[in-house]
Amino acid sequence: MDSSTSNRREGDNKLTFRDIVAIFFYTKRVFVFTFIGVIIGALLLAFLSPSTYTAKARLLVKPRIEKPVVFDEGADSRFNVVDNVSDQTLNTVVHLFNSADVLKEVVKMHNLAPMDDESAVLEAVSDLRKQFRAEPLATSNIVEIIYQAPDAEQARDQLNTLLDAYIDYYIEVNQGLKGSLEFFDEQVAMFRERYIQLSNELAAARKNLNLANPNLQADNMLAVVRNLETRKAEIASQLKASQQRVNFLQGAYDKVGTNGYVGLTSELRQNYPALVEMERSLAQLIINKKTAESNFQPGSKPVADAVAQYNNMRAQIRGYIREVIDKLQLDGQSGAEEIRSLEDSIAQAQANVGQLSADTVILQRIEFERDVAEKNYRLYEDKREAARISEEKNRSQFANVTVANRPLTPNAPSFPNIPLILILAIPVAILLALVACILSYSSDQSLRSPADVQTRTRLRLLGTLDAV
């Protein structure tokens, strides 16, 4: 009787479902506060957290291509292809992504830190290591690179730079294919700059020296000099002839002043017909005078008239000759002035020809240097293109890492994912609120049920009032 009664009472004091539910009613404030707190925290996390965009890319690791030490005669035997890609190769690809040389290239291309500050560069490299991860995909030869950044375009661009820098670094490390492309780039840039500089100097020299076609301009100036020299010779010849005429006329003028017969030279007869007629008239008057003197008495009127007509004609001839002499002398002075002007023009033209020759030498030197620079520029441009093509061939032959998928611009941030946070907030809030209720009830020393009395006091409960 006693044992059955004891077992029944112990069974009555076990924790029932009602007691469990009652716990949450006792701690409902804790439940409500915890639930609201979790929901508010989720809202703050969703709407106030800085956005993070994730860009992804994939690298395909191809079977390694090995070049034998000695080439055979056949073209197909130049390369040996290893079919499988080992885990060691995949892990090498993954670990090389963390190389400082690769990440420094990203820092340099995107100005993430001043390159002259080594500590800032190392800090930027350390930050970049935290922003991405590279991991091989299971059962494949693909390595996926996940890159995170606060901006969508920044994530895409920096990941692209990281991929290109990594492939170049991978080729350099594994195959050591460092060609002459960099040298040709430097030479092309140097000769291109030199060619542009000399072209500008040539244009400035042509403008300052007023030279369009030096050879043609020199020929034109020499032709001008020849024309001036010819004109000078013509005027000098004319002056010489005029001087001879003046001498002849002066002789005739002096002879006219005497009482004897005046005879004109053949040169004066050809050039002065009026003077010839006057000479004829004078000869006739001389005859008339002689006839009057022989027929009449000296001092008679016929003799006086004949002498007067003779003297009058001599005066007319003398005056005409004087006018011609004065005119010739005036023309001689004008010719002399023109000769002096021509001599000045000839001297100036000859000086211009000399200056043009000196300027032509300068232009020829600049043109020669520019032509040399242009030829070198074209030569190294062709060599650079050949080197680029050769390097691309080497890349395609020896670089067994290629970009399978380039990163795209993320459309939405990867964090915070507001819909997911809001969806998970409610069950997480309920679960945490329940845990908080349990912890709060277990830490509370109040006795609210028979089970609390037996559990917390370790006393045997005989009964309760509601049971009575």
Side-chain angles (χ1 to χ4, degrees), residues 100 211 392 422 434 440:
L211 293 179
E392 289 298 327
L422 296 180
L434 292 177
S440 175

Side-chain angles (χ1 to χ4, degrees), residues 328-370:
L328 289 175
Q329 289 178 346
L330 182 61
D331 292 341
Q333 293 177 358
S334 300
E337 291 292 334
E338 187 173 358
I339 286 177
R340 286 193 292 270
S341 177
L342 288 174
E343 289 176 348
D344 293 340
S345 299
I346 291 172
Q348 182 64 36
Q350 290 175 344
N352 291 337
V353 171
Q355 184 64 38
L356 179 63
S357 300
D359 295 341
T360 303
V361 171
I362 296 174
L363 288 180
Q364 289 175 348
R365 177 186 62 80
I366 298 177
E367 287 178 348
F368 174 76
E369 293 180 356
R370 188 193 66 166

Side-chain angles (χ1 to χ4, degrees), residues 3-247:
S3 62
S4 62
T5 303
S6 174
N7 291 333
R8 181 177 60 81
R9 288 177 178 174
E10 289 177 1
D12 293 339
N13 293 330
K14 288 182 179 180
L15 190 64
T16 63
F17 178 74
R18 178 182 178 184
D19 296 332
I20 295 174
V21 173
I23 292 174
F24 299 104
F25 283 97
Y26 295 147
T27 59
K28 59 183 178 180
R29 290 186 178 179
V30 176
F31 182 88
V32 171
F33 290 153
T34 304
F35 182 85
I36 294 175
V38 172
I39 295 298
I40 292 175
L43 292 175
L44 293 177
L45 179 66
F47 292 101
L48 297 182
S49 297
S51 299
T52 300
Y53 291 85
T54 301
K56 296 181 180 180
R58 291 184 176 182
L59 287 179
L60 175 63
V61 183
K62 297 180 293 185
R64 183 165 52 90
I65 300 176
E66 293 182 345
K67 183 171 65 174
V69 177
V70 179
F71 288 156
D72 296 334
E73 294 182 357
D76 296 336
S77 63
R78 291 171 61 86
F79 301 100
N80 296 329
V81 180
V82 181
D83 295 332
N84 61 331
V85 177
S86 63
D87 293 339
Q88 182 180 3
T89 301
L90 293 175
N91 291 329
T92 300
V93 172
V94 171
H95 288 298
L96 284 180
F97 262 100
N98 291 303
S99 172
D101 293 331
V102 176
L103 298 179
K104 282 182 179 179
E105 189 66 22
V106 180
V107 174
K108 177 182 178 181
M109 294 299 295
H110 294 275
N111 297 322
L112 300 181
M115 299 305 296
D116 54 351
D117 190 349
E118 186 66 23
S119 61
V121 172
L122 294 178
E123 184 177 355
V125 168
S126 178
D127 294 337
L128 285 176
R129 286 196 179 102
K130 300 175 183 178
Q131 291 182 226
F132 80 94
R133 68 178 186 274
E135 54 188 16
L137 300 182
T139 66
S140 69
N141 297 340
I142 295 177
V143 176
E144 186 176 52
I145 300 92
I146 302 173
Y147 192 93
Q148 294 180 341
D151 182 76
E153 294 183 356
Q154 179 181 349
R156 179 201 61 195
D157 296 340
Q158 291 184 4
L159 181 53
N160 270 320
T161 304
L162 178 64
L163 292 174
D164 295 335
Y166 169 76
I167 291 178
D168 292 338
Y169 181 73
Y170 184 87
I171 294 173
E172 183 178 357
V173 169
N174 288 276
Q175 280 79 30
L177 296 177
K178 188 174 182 180
S180 57
L181 183 60
E182 181 178 355
F183 169 75
F184 289 127
D185 284 336
E186 294 177 355
Q187 295 299 313
V188 167
M190 181 181 69
F191 283 108
R192 180 177 180 274
E193 182 179 357
R194 179 63 176 165
Y195 172 71
I196 294 174
Q197 178 185 358
L198 290 172
S199 298
N200 294 333
E201 289 182 5
L202 181 60
R206 289 183 182 276
K207 181 179 180 181
N208 295 332
L209 301 176
N210 195 21
L211 293 179
N213 190 337
N215 294 329
L216 180 60
Q217 288 178 277
D219 292 339
N220 293 336
M221 288 185 179
L222 292 175
V224 170
V225 172
R226 288 193 295 270
N227 293 334
L228 293 175
E229 291 285 356
T230 302
R231 178 60 179 166
K232 176 185 175 183
E234 292 175 354
I235 295 175
S237 177
Q238 293 175 0
L239 289 178
K240 184 176 180 181
S242 297
Q243 186 61 40
Q244 290 178 354
R245 290 178 188 175
V246 169
N247 294 335

Side-chain angles (χ1 to χ4, degrees), residues 388-405:
R388 187 190 66 80
I389 295 174
S390 177
E391 184 168 306
E392 289 298 327
K393 289 181 179 179
N394 290 337
R395 288 166 64 94
S396 62
Q397 289 174 353
F398 296 109
N400 59 329
V401 178
T402 58
V403 180
N405 296 108

Side-chain angles (χ1 to χ4, degrees), residues 237-275:
S237 177
Q238 293 175 0
L239 289 178
K240 184 176 180 181
S242 297
Q243 186 61 40
Q244 290 178 354
R245 290 178 188 175
V246 169
N247 294 335
F248 292 143
L249 290 171
Q250 188 64 44
Y253 180 80
D254 294 338
K255 289 180 181 180
V256 171
T258 64
N259 294 326
Y261 175 75
V262 178
L264 297 177
T265 62
S266 60
E267 198 275 341
L268 294 177
R269 290 177 181 274
Q270 293 176 359
N271 291 283
Y272 302 100
L275 192 59

